[in-house]
Amino acid sequence: QIFVTEQFSQSEYGRSIEKQAMTYEIKLFRAKAKAMERVSQNQSSPGILAALSMGTNNDINTLSTLKGNVLAFDEVSDPGNLGTLVRSAAWFGVDQIVLSNNCVDIYNPKVLKASMGALFYMKSIFIDDLQQAVEKLKQSNRIVLGADMGGDTVSSLKLGKKSWALVVGSEAHGLSKPISKAIDHSVCVEGKGFIESLNVASAGTVLLSQLCI
């Protein structure tokens, strides 16, 4: 369902949204501006709101059927970083993500905002035991890489066209010990400056760029 204000519906973008809603048979309702302001996460409402069902998939066996590359999150707790990485993954053509159960809620408003809509293009799989998930990914003839400051450079691995899964860890502690032991290789972003480290969103984006291009 989509809710729009009268002002939004009169804009060019609003008319485009209404046309698409009719094409895909999505119910569209008018809402008062004050009501939209009350439910909006922003200081000022953009005039449009969508109510969607939250797709959930926690079947670990799904991992065996995935095709292509995967981005996995190990205890990533910062919503801005997780959302940014989802957006980066979409930019580089990775549309499958795996999340451990101690990650920030992927439907957190800050995650959604940082992803800039990329989340809705993702196949998201929520896993209780990420270590077991890594083993499943390895069984599907996929190399599993972990982002780690002590790892090798991506260029040194010579992956060729083999599919991969990249696991990124928490901002404070990096990859958890069980995941560090389970992955095939650890990879790093080689730096030349005087800053100690990158945050997980920056490092993950650079690694995705190197792996995908």
Side-chain angles (χ1 to χ4, degrees):
Q1 298 175 333
I2 297 176
F3 301 84
V4 297
T5 61
E6 186 67 34
Q7 182 179 2
F8 179 86
S9 67
Q10 293 175 1
S11 67
E12 183 178 350
Y13 184 47
R15 290 191 292 271
S16 172
I17 290 292
E18 290 195 12
K19 185 177 180 180
Q20 291 182 62
M22 291 179 61
T23 300
Y24 293 102
E25 298 182 348
I26 299 172
K27 293 181 179 179
L28 190 144
F29 302 93
R30 291 282 188 275
K32 292 184 178 180
K34 288 186 177 180
M36 294 287 269
E37 293 285 351
R38 286 198 296 269
V39 298
S40 175
Q41 296 289 333
N42 301 322
Q43 289 185 342
S44 59
S45 168
I48 180 169
L49 181 148
L52 310 170
S53 61
M54 295 190 296
T56 57
N57 183 348
N58 56 6
D59 183 2
I60 195 168
N61 293 317
T62 303
L63 299 174
S64 302
T65 66
L66 296 180
K67 306 294 183 183
N69 303 317
V70 178
L71 177 62
F73 297 90
D74 177 24
E75 302 182 13
V76 176
S77 58
D78 184 275
N81 282 338
L82 197 149
T84 298
L85 271 171
V86 169
R87 183 180 182 182
S88 296
W91 175 258
F92 291 113
V94 178
D95 61 358
Q96 302 167 131
I97 58 175
V98 177
L99 301 104
S100 65
N101 61 357
N102 39 17
C103 283
V104 63
D105 181 6
I106 200 168
Y107 295 110
N108 179 298
K110 291 183 179 179
V111 174
L112 293 171
K113 187 173 183 179
S115 76
M116 292 298 289
L119 180 63
F120 301 114
Y121 295 90
M122 290 289 162
K123 183 173 187 178
S124 306
I125 304 170
F126 306 90
I127 298 296
D128 290 330
D129 187 342
L130 190 61
Q131 185 178 2
Q132 188 179 358
V134 167
E135 295 301 330
K136 282 281 186 183
L137 289 167
K138 290 163 71 174
Q139 290 169 15
S140 61
N141 196 33
R142 183 182 279 106
I143 187 169
V144 179
L145 308 170
D148 186 275
M149 288 179 62
D152 300 315
T153 60
V154 171
S155 59
S156 69
L157 296 181
K158 298 179 181 178
L159 298 175
K161 295 187 178 297
K162 189 171 185 178
S163 294
W164 47 264
L166 174 65
V167 187
V168 295
S170 74
E171 297 79 4
H173 307 293
L175 295 175
S176 59
K177 287 184 178 180
I179 300 304
S180 294
K181 293 179 180 178
I183 61 174
D184 293 309
H185 296 284
S186 57
V187 290
C188 72
V189 176
E190 192 173 21
K192 296 182 179 180
F194 51 85
I195 297 298
E196 181 183 9
S197 63
L198 296 173
N199 69 13
V200 66
S202 298
T205 297
V206 173
L207 290 172
L208 285 169
S209 172
Q210 293 173 342
L211 287 164
C212 294
I213 296 178

